Amino acid sequence: MDKAYIAGRTPVRVDLVKGQKYAWCSCGASENQPWCDGSHKGTKFTPTVFVAEETKSVGMCMCKLSEKPQFCDGNHKRIKG
Ligand code: FES
């Protein structure tokens, strides 16, 4: 697995809670998107672990092409096909 799987072609909106720790799936293989479920084991990918700085609703990247992971930056619009 050289490239991440495209888990979705649009972001998913989630409600983050300030101070809570999250692990965003960077490989696209998780069945619990956008969160890591351990499916990356044996690949070069690792989850992006972060603590929410504030309680708010955010768009999480599902295409795994964002240049500002773990958040959507609109790069899913460049997916062809
Ligand atoms: S399952 Fe994708 S990074 Fe863990």
Side-chain angles (χ1 to χ4, degrees):
M1 168 176 196
D2 290 333
K3 293 171 123 180
Y5 296 118
I6 296 172
R9 291 170 179 256
T10 55
V12 63
R13 189 149 291 277
V14 299
D15 295 321
L16 299 180
V17 177
K18 181 179 179 178
Q20 189 164 325
K21 192 185 216 181
Y22 298 90
W24 174 77
C25 169
S26 66
C27 75
S30 172
E31 293 186 11
N32 186 35
Q33 293 292 332
W35 312 121
C36 173
D37 71 354
S39 296
H40 63 271
K41 288 191 177 112
T43 73
K44 67 179 183 180
F45 294 92
T46 57
T48 300
V49 178
F50 67 101
V51 175
E53 295 178 3
E54 56 185 315
T55 296
K56 67 176 181 178
S57 179
V58 295
M60 304 296 293
C61 174
M62 290 287 283
C63 70
K64 314 304 178 183
L65 299 171
S66 175
E67 292 175 13
K68 297 179 182 173
Q70 57 281 4
F71 303 112
C72 173
D73 70 350
N75 263 346
H76 61 274
K77 293 175 186 163
R78 297 185 355 201
I79 301 171
K80 297 190 173 29

